[in-house]
């Protein structure tokens, strides 16, 4: 079967247990680092990660499963879309320490 070259893509989702952004790794496991994501460079690879995402969604392991386009840079994979860059780099605000401070003050 001949494969056609396509833009590099990765599979992303949110972990069902805590909502953390995850990416499908080459070993078939979900990773919290975009650097460890499997890079699908051909249509057959994209079809394979889509199938893996459908299975993980059906197994209630992840939600909001999406194939996204990335560019391969010297510093690693970088999503084209701002939304996906934010998901890869983490929240744009430091919300956890503020929450912890409110809890400790209330106690």
């Amino acid at each position: 079967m001949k494969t056609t070259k396509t833009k590099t893509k990765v599979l992303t989702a949110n972990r069902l247990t805590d909502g953390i952004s995850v990416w499908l790794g080459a070993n078939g496991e979900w990773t919290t680092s975009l650097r460890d994501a499997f890079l699908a460079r051909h249509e057959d690879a994209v079809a394979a990660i889509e199938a893996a995402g459908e299975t993980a969604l059906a197994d209630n392991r992840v939600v909001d499963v999406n194939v996204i386009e990335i560019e391969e840079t010297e510093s690693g994979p970088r999503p084209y879309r701002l939304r996906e860059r934010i998901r890869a780099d983490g929240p744009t605000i430091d919300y956890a320490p503020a929450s912890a401070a409110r809890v400790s003050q209330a106690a």
Side-chain angles (χ1 to χ4, degrees):
M1 174 184 282
K2 183 179 176 186
T3 58
T4 306
K5 183 97 169 131
T6 184
K7 287 188 178 182
T8 304
K9 298 179 182 179
V10 296
L11 186 69
T12 185
N14 291 90
R15 202 166 42 203
L16 190 61
T17 56
D18 57 11
I20 298 294
S21 297
V22 291
W23 291 266
L24 186 65
N27 63 358
E29 296 298 318
W30 294 94
T31 177
T32 56
S33 173
L34 176 57
R35 288 180 160 277
D36 298 328
F38 173 75
L39 305 179
R41 295 182 179 105
H42 298 278
E43 288 181 19
D44 290 346
V46 173
I49 64 173
E50 286 175 335
E54 289 172 9
T55 299
L57 181 63
D59 291 344
N60 291 318
R61 293 177 49 203
V62 294
V63 295
D64 193 23
V65 179
N66 292 292
V67 173
I68 63 165
E69 291 182 353
I70 57 108
E71 62 181 327
E72 295 181 63
T73 69
E74 288 182 15
S75 59
R78 182 174 186 266
Y80 282 106
R81 294 186 58 215
L82 178 60
R83 173 187 187 265
E84 300 306 331
R85 284 188 218 146
I86 292 169
R87 291 181 74 243
D89 295 338
T92 57
I93 60 170
D94 190 15
Y95 66 92
S99 298
R102 283 194 298 271
V103 169
S104 66
Q105 288 174 355

